[in-house]
């Protein structure tokens, strides 16, 4: 999404999204600013979602790591990474309990994302799963509630349950995870036009969605939430990424994140279990990739030449 600088120019300037419908700064279809990310993305409901958040997969599962993980989450919140993503699947609820403890006294500042397992995604099962998650989190509502992936329960049942939870005030809005193009078209045909986001595996090494899924989502104004944006650390040490990082006095992880964040309607939720890495993730917002950088990364990680099945972890 294109950004506009306020209070001066450069890295210290605050960047706001140029929302569709703004007559002074119209957003052209498919337009991308390769240098500067916006700090929030407008959802179909009009609410905004932070462009950079914190993932919690594998967090909360080991008591010996709890203190460091808590510090990492607090550090992220302090640095403006106020979107926290969790799921009932993560550690059988242990991640939700960790997140709930981390946001005590700060709930109003947090954009909370949670997920229901496909096996629980019947009409009644979704409602019950959500309320169990609310209890583990210790909150009265979840801002964005996602179906973790396609299962056997009809999408119509899950959508009806989501609508019931919205009406009850248990969730603010809902979306999906790991939905490919065919899944998204079925979702809309089933009455899911209130879908607020699609969380997918997307990074420099997983560019398949760019061929057809990302254009379709942009056309329907459905933002993307990219999980594993650093490919679980496997992008670290890649020569081309390191070369770009050296030009910016940044880390490879920051370049990988900046590459994701530069794109229209794409947010990212990197996971970190220590404060140092969380701080590095936050600073990725200051890495302004040039056209030369993007071209070099395209050479190292070519975009797809045809449709590819959506990958997932």
């Amino acid at each position: 999404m294109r950004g506009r600088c306020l209070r001066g120019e450069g890295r210290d300037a605050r960047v706001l999204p140029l929302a569709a419908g703004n007559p002074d700064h119209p957003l052209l279809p498919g337009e991308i600013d390769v240098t500067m990310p916006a700090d929030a993305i407008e959802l179909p409901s009009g609410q905004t979602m932070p462009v950079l958040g914190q993932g919690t997969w594998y967090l909360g599962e080991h008591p010996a790591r709890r203190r460091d993980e808590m510090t990492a989450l607090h550090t992220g919140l302090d640095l403006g990474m106020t979107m926290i993503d969790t799921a009932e699947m993560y550690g059988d609820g242990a991640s939700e309990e960790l997140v709930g403890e981390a946001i005590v006294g700060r709930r109003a500042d947090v954009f909370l994302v949670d997920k229901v397992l496909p096996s629980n995604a019947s009409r009644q099962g979704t409602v019950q799963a959500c309320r169990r998650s609310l209890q583990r989190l210790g909150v009265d509502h979840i801002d964005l509630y996602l179906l973790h992936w396609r299962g056997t329960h009809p999408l119509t049942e899950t959508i009806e349950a989501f609508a019931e939870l919205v009406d009850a005030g248990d969730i603010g809005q809902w979306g999906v995870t790991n939905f490919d193009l065919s899944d998204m078209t079925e979702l809309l045909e089933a009455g899911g036009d209130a879908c607020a986001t699609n969380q997918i595996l997307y990074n420099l090494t997983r560019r398949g969605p760019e061929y057809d899924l990302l254009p379709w989502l942009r056309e329907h104004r459905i933002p993307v939430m990219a999980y594993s944006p650093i490919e679980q650390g496997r992008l670290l040490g890649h020569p081309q990424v390191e070369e770009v990082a050296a030009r910016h006095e940044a880390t490879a992880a920051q370049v990988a994140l900046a590459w994701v964040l530069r794109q229209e309607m794409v947010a990212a939720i990197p996971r970190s279990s220590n404060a140092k890495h969380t701080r590095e993730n936050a600073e990725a917002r200051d890495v302004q990739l040039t056209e030369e950088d993007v071209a070099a990364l395209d050479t190292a990680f070519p975009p797809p030449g045809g449709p590819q099945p959506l990958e997932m972890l």
Side-chain angles (χ1 to χ4, degrees), residues 229-302:
I230 310 171
E231 185 61 14
Q232 296 187 320
R234 287 186 285 271
L235 279 166
L236 308 183
H238 188 282
Q240 192 62 66
V241 180
E242 293 285 1
E243 183 178 325
V244 173
R247 288 201 288 267
H248 293 273
E249 298 182 350
T251 67
Q254 288 170 335
V255 168
L257 272 175
W259 181 85
V260 171
L261 296 178
R262 59 176 266 279
Q263 302 186 60
E264 180 191 3
M265 296 178 64
V266 179
I269 47 169
R271 179 182 64 88
S272 171
S273 59
N274 68 75
K276 178 179 181 292
H277 288 158
T278 300
R279 191 170 292 106
E280 289 178 357
N281 290 341
E283 291 170 354
R285 293 172 296 191
D286 296 329
V287 177
Q288 302 175 36
L289 298 180
T290 65
E291 292 182 3
E292 178 186 1
D293 296 330
V294 173
L297 293 171
D298 281 345
T299 299
F301 305 95

Side-chain angles (χ1 to χ4, degrees), residues 15-263:
V15 184
L16 297 178
L18 301 182
N22 183 338
D24 296 324
H25 301 278
L27 182 62
L28 301 178
E31 185 172 9
I32 295 174
D33 184 336
V34 300
T35 60
M36 189 175 294
D39 60 5
I41 294 174
E42 186 174 1
L43 298 173
S45 66
Q47 185 180 4
T48 58
M49 174 177 71
V51 75
L52 182 60
Q54 305 182 73
T56 61
W57 194 11
Y58 295 122
L59 268 59
E61 298 183 16
H62 302 282
R65 302 175 188 170
R66 191 175 191 83
R67 182 175 180 179
D68 287 343
E69 293 170 350
M70 190 71 66
T71 301
L73 290 171
H74 286 159
T75 298
L77 293 177
D78 292 341
L79 294 174
M81 297 168 65
T82 54
M83 177 165 61
I84 299 181
D85 173 89
T86 187
E88 65 171 337
M89 185 188 78
Y90 300 165
D92 291 328
S95 171
E96 292 175 320
E97 292 172 354
L98 175 72
V99 170
E101 184 179 344
I103 65 176
V104 169
R106 308 184 68 165
R107 176 65 184 96
D109 301 325
V110 176
F111 186 87
L112 188 57
V113 184
D114 208 331
K115 309 182 196 74
V116 58
L117 279 166
S119 56
N120 291 333
S122 65
R123 171 71 185 263
Q124 184 177 6
T126 300
V127 172
Q128 293 174 342
C130 179
R131 291 176 177 160
R132 288 194 298 268
S133 291
L134 288 170
Q135 185 173 14
R136 286 189 292 266
L137 288 161
V139 300
D140 62 3
H141 74 284
I142 294 165
D143 296 291
L144 181 58
Y145 196 46
L146 311 178
L147 173 60
H148 212 147
W149 64 87
R150 282 292 297 270
T152 57
H153 292 292
L155 289 175
T156 52
E157 287 192 22
T158 311
I159 293 168
E160 289 170 358
F162 284 154
E164 179 181 340
L165 290 166
V166 170
D167 289 343
D170 292 324
I171 65 174
Q173 47 206 322
W174 63 268
V176 295
T177 304
N178 298 307
F179 268 43
D180 210 340
L181 180 57
S182 60
D183 300 314
M184 291 303 304
T185 55
E186 285 184 46
L187 182 73
L188 264 60
E189 290 170 358
D193 50 0
C195 178
T197 191
N198 186 9
Q199 185 181 120
I200 60 173
L201 176 62
Y202 181 54
N203 57 49
L204 276 166
T205 69
R206 312 274 193 163
R207 298 186 62 173
E210 292 177 15
Y211 187 80
D212 49 12
L213 179 59
L214 291 190
W216 188 94
L217 291 169
R218 288 189 179 116
E219 178 185 352
H220 290 81
R221 308 305 298 173
I222 299 174
V224 166
M225 192 183 301
Y227 72 84
S228 295
I230 310 171
E231 185 61 14
Q232 296 187 320
R234 287 186 285 271
L235 279 166
L236 308 183
H238 188 282
Q240 192 62 66
V241 180
E242 293 285 1
E243 183 178 325
V244 173
R247 288 201 288 267
H248 293 273
E249 298 182 350
T251 67
Q254 288 170 335
V255 168
L257 272 175
W259 181 85
V260 171
L261 296 178
R262 59 176 266 279
Q263 302 186 60

